Amino acid sequence: MNKRVFFIVLFAFQVIVSKAVEQDSTVNVSLSSFEMLKILNPWLNTSNPAALQFNKGILPRMINLYYGLEDGDFKKVQQGEQLNNYSFQSKSYLKIEDINLFGSFSYDKSYENNLDFSNTNNPYRETPYDMVDTIGGDTYDREFFYLKGSMSKPIGEFTSFGISFDFGIGVSVQESDPRPENKVLDISVSPGFIHSLSKFKFGLNFIYKYYNEEIEVDIVEDDATATIFRMLGPGVYTYHEAQSFNRLYKRNSFGGDGQISYKTKDLNTILGVKTVYFKETVQDGGKGGGASWNYIRNYAEFEGIDWNVYDILQIDKGLIIHDLNANFHLLTTRGTEIIENLEQVGDLDNEDWVFYSDEPKYQSQRIDASLAYRFIKLKTKALQNYTLEVKINYDSYKQEYHIPYQIESYDNALIGFKASKVFNIKNTMLSLSTGIDYKMSLDSKQNFEKINFIYDRILYPDFEMLTNNYYAPIVNFSYEQPLNKLFEKIFFDAKTKLLIGENGQSRIIANFSTGVIF
């Protein structure tokens, strides 16, 4: 069955079930209902799917069209100067007897224009083993489907069980030589439990993720070749010149997320620790006769541990909520090069790659710490009146490669403020929010033994962008109008953010959405 037909059938099934099940909400839903759910049920801010069991009062559903735009020169080199993203989306919360459900579907079509030197679907996926060419002004045409689902059910008087899954599949292609075709599969599944004991709750969920990206680079022009640079670390590479080239990334991730909460009449706090270990293999090769892979070479292995410690604290004073979120994130990685040589093996003198050794030569560390406070004034228990938010973020990154010795690091801080207000004019609801972010560089360093065109054309410009100070004004607007039949409301939503760097460059990030809520 054609993939598009399959996903359209899945989406139609989701809508039919949503309309067939009687809405169990005790309040009218609005565009802000999805945000209010995570305020009224802070367990939804964790990765534990059993958290759905604590949903009360609001069960919103939405179908919408989405358009996203990024445009400007304040960007990394392998980002497009302009990104146009078109999407058809739906998401819904349901309750069928004692089972709570959540589902979402998205079809995304995007065009990323005027990007340079990129051959992977996401060149900033935080892996050193990128693929780079020497051609600029490319366009990436992407088509992706995303499907998410989760459910929870009580399995006793004090315990609930939940399970969630995420499924993403898509393809991205370029239309000029060398023209990569990237086939991406991204899957995750997480079962979890939450046990209640007086004022305490204890949660634990397990996490498994699988990522697969197969890349086939072809040259259409007759008798032409292209040089593909296979990165090993910052400014370090090997290269391959041919009419075609193939690469395969496969990543498996395993981990868990543990939570403990304490709740009184006014106070609710959740402390969580999440850790995920991943291992990714990088294989290179070619395709014989357009069929199966041959001459497959194990190029590198990439592994890391991702730690996340977080705390959610809420003080509920009826129509006033104080919401405090603290987060500490530590990611450490190591890259190992696989030394193999193509040799004749066996009695028939067939050629194959022969393993000799592995050499761990790359490592990186990222620290991301944030603290955010929100003052939320409600009109009713499920409808916001106005909010005030202040946040601070610290980001530290360091990557190293040994022999030659290549190192770069930077430390940044960001502070932000945002205010929002909801206006009711007869049956119409208007929401307006405005704010500003300011990012400052605290420290930065590059120390490279080897300088080459990769450094000049990619590493140095990216480093300058990442360590450049900027400020970003934010303006968001939404409009909601009730409907008399079938759906509860129609809405229009617009969000804009303008990054203005101290280097004189700028970039606008905007998205627009319209649809129905029910």
Side-chain angles (χ1 to χ4, degrees):
M1 180 184 295
N2 183 278
K3 290 195 295 292
R4 294 184 185 180
V5 175
F6 174 73
F7 282 104
I8 289 172
V9 170
L10 279 178
F11 165 74
F13 176 76
Q14 178 190 355
V15 174
I16 291 171
V17 170
S18 295
K19 296 303 297 179
V21 176
E22 182 180 356
Q23 176 63 281
D24 197 33
S25 288
T26 58
V27 297
N28 293 330
V29 295
S30 69
L31 192 59
S32 64
S33 294
F34 294 94
E35 180 183 357
M36 282 301 303
L37 261 177
K38 293 188 176 182
I39 296 172
L40 299 175
N41 178 11
W43 273 90
L44 291 177
N45 295 287
T46 74
S47 64
N48 197 325
L52 286 172
Q53 203 61 33
F54 306 129
N55 283 353
K56 298 185 188 304
I58 310 177
L59 295 173
R61 299 165 244 182
M62 178 193 298
I63 302 173
N64 66 286
L65 298 173
Y66 170 94
Y67 169 68
L69 169 69
E70 293 187 27
D71 193 5
D73 55 0
F74 189 60
K75 67 178 189 69
K76 301 174 186 176
V77 172
Q78 292 175 282
Q79 282 182 287
E81 187 169 328
Q82 185 182 82
L83 174 65
N84 293 278
N85 184 24
Y86 307 88
S87 182
F88 178 76
Q89 304 170 345
S90 75
K91 58 181 175 180
S92 60
Y93 288 89
L94 299 173
K95 186 173 184 179
I96 304 175
E97 296 183 351
D98 63 348
I99 300 176
N100 280 273
L101 302 165
F102 170 76
S104 70
F105 168 84
S106 176
Y107 167 72
D108 293 356
K109 182 72 173 177
S110 67
Y111 302 92
E112 188 173 10
N113 302 315
N114 200 23
L115 59 86
D116 297 331
F117 317 135
S118 178
N119 286 272
T120 56
N121 181 61
N122 178 10
Y124 297 102
R125 196 171 53 89
E126 204 141 15
T127 171
Y129 304 110
D130 193 16
M131 290 172 56
V132 174
D133 60 40
T134 59
I135 308 300
D138 291 327
T139 295
Y140 247 128
D141 179 350
R142 296 184 176 92
E143 183 179 35
F144 278 78
F145 295 90
Y146 298 98
L147 187 66
K148 297 182 180 181
S150 56
M151 62 81 65
S152 70
K153 175 181 172 56
I155 55 174
E157 185 177 358
F158 304 107
T159 305
S160 60
F161 168 77
I163 188 168
S164 66
F165 73 90
D166 292 359
F167 177 81
I169 188 171
V171 62
S172 56
V173 297
Q174 291 186 26
E175 298 177 354
S176 59
D177 290 341
R179 52 189 76 201
E181 181 183 51
N182 310 69
K183 299 176 182 177
V184 178
L185 175 66
D186 196 356
I187 302 173
S188 67
V189 61
S190 177
F193 298 86
I194 298 178
H195 180 73
S196 301
L197 185 63
S198 184
K199 296 179 180 180
F200 292 91
K201 288 184 174 67
F202 303 90
L204 178 65
N205 60 290
F206 302 96
I207 300 168
Y208 171 72
K209 300 179 180 181
Y210 176 73
Y211 179 85
N212 181 299
E213 181 176 354
E214 182 176 347
I215 306 171
E216 181 176 356
V217 182
D218 288 318
I219 310 297
V220 175
E221 182 182 351
D222 292 337
D223 300 323
T225 62
T227 302
I228 303 296
F229 295 87
R230 300 171 291 180
M231 304 307 301
L232 293 167
V236 184
Y237 58 83
T238 62
Y239 66 90
H240 178 81
E241 184 176 357
Q243 287 185 316
S244 65
F245 184 78
N246 291 76
R247 167 159 286 188
L248 180 64
Y249 297 98
K250 292 195 294 185
R251 175 179 293 198
N252 287 278
S253 304
F254 308 87
D257 188 357
Q259 312 91 20
I260 180 172
S261 76
Y262 176 76
K263 188 177 188 305
T264 64
K265 179 182 177 181
D266 299 333
L267 176 71
N268 191 1
T269 181
I270 302 173
L271 175 66
V273 179
K274 178 181 177 182
T275 179
V276 175
Y277 167 81
F278 71 84
K279 186 172 184 178
E280 180 171 293
T281 59
V282 185
Q283 295 180 317
D284 292 338
K287 284 192 173 181
S292 60
W293 280 45
N294 58 17
Y295 298 149
I296 298 175
R297 177 187 177 184
N298 296 306
Y299 189 67
E301 289 183 351
F302 186 54
E303 59 185 335
I305 299 180
D306 193 352
W307 290 91
N308 187 17
V309 181
Y310 57 91
D311 185 75
I312 304 162
L313 174 66
Q314 286 187 353
I315 300 175
D316 189 342
K317 295 295 186 179
L319 295 182
I320 293 178
I321 297 176
H322 303 274
D323 182 73
L324 183 68
N325 283 263
N327 194 297
F328 178 82
H329 177 219
L330 171 64
L331 173 64
T332 58
T333 70
R334 183 180 71 170
T336 301
E337 297 172 23
I338 309 298
I339 309 302
E340 295 185 339
N341 190 45
L342 188 62
E343 299 179 1
Q344 292 183 341
V345 295
D347 296 335
L348 300 178
D349 291 333
N350 294 323
E351 286 188 324
D352 202 354
W353 290 99
V354 177
F355 171 81
Y356 280 90
S357 66
D358 52 28
E359 298 181 358
K361 302 184 71 173
Y362 174 87
Q363 61 185 29
S364 72
Q365 175 182 282
R366 180 178 293 279
I367 296 174
D368 189 358
S370 63
L371 183 66
Y373 167 74
R374 280 189 299 175
F375 175 86
I376 306 166
K377 180 68 169 69
L378 303 176
K379 291 186 176 182
T380 68
K381 195 58 184 173
L383 180 62
Q384 295 182 24
N385 184 2
Y386 65 87
T387 64
L388 301 173
E389 179 180 349
V390 61
K391 64 181 179 181
I392 184 169
N393 175 266
Y394 170 75
D395 178 35
S396 175
Y397 181 69
K398 181 180 182 180
Q399 63 172 341
E400 300 179 49
Y401 186 89
H402 301 284
I403 310 177
Y405 188 70
Q406 314 274 89
I407 181 173
E408 69 174 7
S409 63
Y410 59 81
D411 298 274
N412 295 327
L414 182 144
I415 56 175
F417 174 79
K418 186 167 74 171
S420 63
K421 169 67 177 168
V422 176
F423 302 91
N424 290 95
I425 305 173
K426 294 184 178 180
N427 292 328
T428 299
M429 182 181 295
L430 301 176
S431 177
L432 178 66
S433 65
T434 183
I436 190 167
D437 290 342
Y438 177 70
K439 193 219 79 174
M440 67 193 81
S441 175
L442 304 177
D443 189 26
S444 60
K445 180 176 66 175
Q446 278 189 323
N447 184 11
F448 285 6
E449 288 184 2
K450 178 181 288 188
I451 302 296
N452 49 41
F453 83 99
I454 295 291
Y455 174 84
D456 292 334
R457 302 293 295 274
I458 299 177
L459 293 175
Y460 181 73
D462 277 0
F463 189 77
E464 286 291 291
M465 184 269 178
L466 290 167
T467 58
N468 192 261
N469 297 345
Y470 72 79
Y471 64 95
I474 301 166
V475 178
N476 302 332
F477 169 82
S478 68
Y479 168 87
E480 299 176 49
Q481 178 71 39
L483 297 174
N484 296 323
K485 297 180 180 180
L486 191 61
F487 300 109
E488 190 162 334
K489 289 183 178 180
I490 186 171
F491 74 88
F492 173 80
D493 182 53
K495 295 181 172 64
T496 60
K497 184 175 184 178
L498 177 62
L499 305 178
I500 304 172
E502 289 188 354
N503 59 1
Q505 297 177 334
S506 63
R507 187 170 183 86
I508 187 169
I509 302 173
N511 61 74
F512 308 92
S513 180
T514 184
V516 291
I517 312 166
F518 55 104

